[in-house]
Amino acid sequence: MEQSNKITIGILGGGQLGKMLFEAGSPLNNRYRFLESSPDCPASLVCNNQVVGGLMDADKIETLAEGCDVISYEIEHVNIDALRKLEENNKSVFPKSNVLKTIQDKGLQKQFYRNHNIPTLDFILSTSANLQTSVERWPDTKFVLKHRKGGYDGKGVQVITKSQYAELLSSKDDSINNDSGFVIEKFVPEVTEVAVIVGVAQDGTITSYDPCEMVFDPKSNLMDYLIAPSSLSQEINNRCKEIATKVVRSFDSPGLFAVELFIDDNDDVFVNEIAPRPHNSGHHTIESCITSQYEQLNRILLNQPLGDTRLMCPAATCNIVGPPDVLGEYIIDNLDEILSISGVYIHMYGKASTSPYRKLGHFTILSETKEEVVNKMKQVKELLKIKST
Ligand code: ADP
């Protein structure tokens, strides 16, 4: 088969982000190989070049890298030492392993921002052993307690008061024991959350997407929907892009990064955290931007010119998650009705079974105005039901 080039991209992880990355490479017949322990993972539906194995398994990572020219990852929880070894053997790993090392640990991330004069919320670091003393010393009654490592999608993060902490302590709750330690962070009430996707090419060229605004479901702590363009002023949007570009530049590595930002009610902007990979907050770019976040990462990995990031029309994306009361095999109800609405794009990730709040897919809505986007989104949310088979 004709190929756009002779480069094979190796990806650690075979979830939905890998699936969408491979889909974006299909028009140019890009070549991929990926590592994932489950043979029927989402990426296996679109790529048959899979190494079956765990993402912490150094030998399997080496097997993946054999025959690949460049390595990246679609999840942070991978064996960094194995990636470093690949780099020592002159294999390109983007983003570089030292970036991932910082990002895997919320404590190191916060210190990195502080050391690079990047605005981030006040924090202190604590071990499990001295957590009680650290909480007592923290100046505010309410604060955010975060596990330094291993959390995702809000797991390992809790907003609590000092008295709630005391209850957790007396009931010996598991959440206040963590081998990697904790970040205690200032709580921002009524926070606005936006994300800026930034791409860094191998020659150092940087480009960013306009910020999109995220709205979270308070029950699951997962993103409920995101909307672009954001409702922020042009001045704040520009500041978000500047800060996001500065932080990514400080990491000094090619790659695609999602910079999550908090904005408080004084319009001050703070970096929350970074994902060194395609991100939920960029799903809408598939249909709404000239170049999607997935195509952008493909271009970065293949050392091609970066694509135009402009948003072509207002867009919203919602996660499709498993309902709290459905387990096992499932169907989507009302699909025909949903598909008869113009400007609705459904992406299902091919996961065989559902469980409460499992991310099963997402849908994106495009329309001419933000108002129409929000109305159609509400309509689809009403119609779209995940049901047991
Ligand atoms: P994760 O890495 O699991 O996504 P985050 O640190 O992004 O964890 O926190 C998850 C969510 O918790 C955020 O998206 C936000 O809604 C809320 N949150 C986290 N930190 C704060 C904070 N300091 N103030 C207010 N809300 C916060």
Side-chain angles (χ1 to χ4, degrees):
M1 185 197 291
E2 162 269 338
Q3 300 287 342
S4 58
N5 53 64
K6 298 272 178 266
I7 293 173
T8 299
I9 298 173
I11 298 289
L12 278 77
Q16 59 263 22
L17 301 176
K19 178 176 186 266
M20 290 183 271
L21 183 73
F22 304 160
E23 284 165 349
S26 174
L28 280 174
N29 301 317
N30 290 346
R31 296 197 248 196
Y32 301 98
R33 185 176 207 199
F34 71 100
L35 173 66
E36 173 66 53
S37 54
S38 155
D40 59 356
C41 60
S44 71
L45 297 172
V46 292
C47 175
N48 59 12
N49 192 3
Q50 176 174 6
V51 177
V52 177
L55 303 179
M56 289 295 166
D57 186 332
D59 292 338
K60 293 289 184 183
I61 292 175
E62 214 181 298
T63 308
L64 170 79
E66 284 161 14
C68 290
D69 305 280
V70 58
I71 301 290
S72 191
Y73 37 87
E74 53 112 62
I75 183 167
E76 287 91 332
H77 304 296
V78 302
N79 185 331
I80 294 186
D81 291 333
L83 292 183
R84 193 177 307 118
K85 212 170 134 201
L86 295 181
E87 288 169 334
E88 282 163 9
N89 291 323
N90 295 321
K91 188 75 76 183
S92 299
V93 178
F94 300 135
K96 293 176 189 164
S97 67
N98 63 341
V99 174
L100 190 55
K101 190 171 166 46
T102 305
I103 284 176
Q104 270 189 353
D105 180 337
K106 285 183 197 280
L108 288 182
Q109 256 196 82
K110 295 286 285 185
Q111 285 175 324
F112 180 90
Y113 303 145
R114 190 176 268 169
N115 295 341
H116 287 82
N117 282 326
I118 286 153
T120 192
L121 292 168
D122 282 347
F123 71 98
I124 52 169
L125 302 184
S126 176
T127 60
S128 280
N130 67 17
L131 187 57
Q132 191 181 353
T133 322
S134 307
V135 167
E136 280 162 11
R137 285 200 192 132
W138 184 253
D140 307 329
T141 315
K142 198 170 189 177
F143 56 94
V144 188
L145 187 62
K146 301 186 177 185
H147 290 180
R148 282 181 64 161
K149 281 189 175 178
Y152 64 98
D153 286 346
K155 293 178 184 70
V157 171
Q158 45 186 337
V159 177
I160 53 170
T161 60
K162 288 190 174 182
S163 59
Q164 285 167 333
Y165 174 77
E167 281 167 29
L168 294 176
L169 191 64
S170 63
S171 64
K172 297 195 169 67
D173 194 276
D174 269 356
S175 68
I176 55 169
N177 263 310
N178 187 265
D179 289 345
S180 59
F182 294 87
V183 176
I184 298 177
E185 187 177 69
K186 188 170 179 59
F187 170 66
V188 183
E190 319 245 327
V191 67
T192 303
E193 300 188 46
V194 304
V196 176
I197 309 268
V198 182
V200 185
Q202 293 186 35
D203 66 2
T205 318
I206 297 195
T207 184
S208 61
Y209 290 76
D210 282 334
C212 71
E213 199 169 333
M214 287 175 279
V215 180
F216 284 80
D217 177 325
K219 272 198 228 133
S220 64
N221 233 345
L222 287 177
M223 185 187 78
D224 187 13
Y225 66 92
L226 70 81
I227 187 144
S230 82
S231 55
L232 302 167
S233 68
Q234 196 54 47
E235 190 270 318
I236 301 178
N237 266 330
N238 289 344
R239 198 140 36 90
C240 289
K241 285 179 86 166
E242 272 163 33
I243 292 172
T245 305
K246 177 175 173 183
V247 62
V248 168
R249 209 186 285 281
S250 314
F251 277 113
D252 193 23
S253 168
L256 188 88
F257 302 83
V259 183
E260 294 181 28
L261 301 157
F262 288 154
I263 301 161
D264 69 10
D265 49 11
N266 293 321
D267 289 344
D268 285 326
V269 179
F270 303 92
V271 174
N272 173 32
E273 61 177 1
I274 289 189
R277 52 168 172 79
H279 193 245
N280 226 318
S281 62
H283 287 339
H284 68 296
T285 61
I286 297 175
E287 287 90 9
S288 70
C289 290
I290 293 177
T291 310
S292 78
Q293 63 166 349
Y294 299 100
E295 185 183 340
Q296 197 74 301
L297 179 56
N298 278 318
R299 287 171 177 238
I300 291 164
L301 297 174
L302 295 173
N303 203 10
Q304 292 168 338
L306 292 178
D308 188 338
T309 57
R310 267 176 302 166
L311 182 75
M312 295 183 287
C313 67
T317 292
C318 279
N319 280 325
I320 300 173
V321 299
D325 53 352
V326 183
L327 270 183
E329 288 184 19
Y330 60 96
I331 50 156
I332 313 172
D333 213 12
N334 299 326
L335 189 57
D336 288 357
E337 255 177 289
I338 296 166
L339 291 176
S340 21
I341 304 170
S342 146
V344 178
Y345 300 85
I346 302 208
H347 293 253
M348 294 308 290
Y349 302 150
K351 296 180 183 176
S353 65
T354 179
S355 56
Y357 305 115
R358 184 171 195 204
K359 279 187 207 164
L360 303 174
H362 74 262
F363 66 87
T364 292
I365 312 268
L366 301 187
S367 207
E368 275 164 33
T369 65
K370 269 177 87 171
E371 201 187 356
E372 273 175 22
V373 163
V374 171
N375 286 340
K376 283 188 182 177
M377 186 185 68
K378 284 186 188 153
Q379 219 182 327
V380 175
K381 277 173 82 121
E382 278 285 303
L383 284 167
L384 202 153
K385 299 273 179 279
I386 300 292
K387 288 194 169 167
S388 289
T389 48

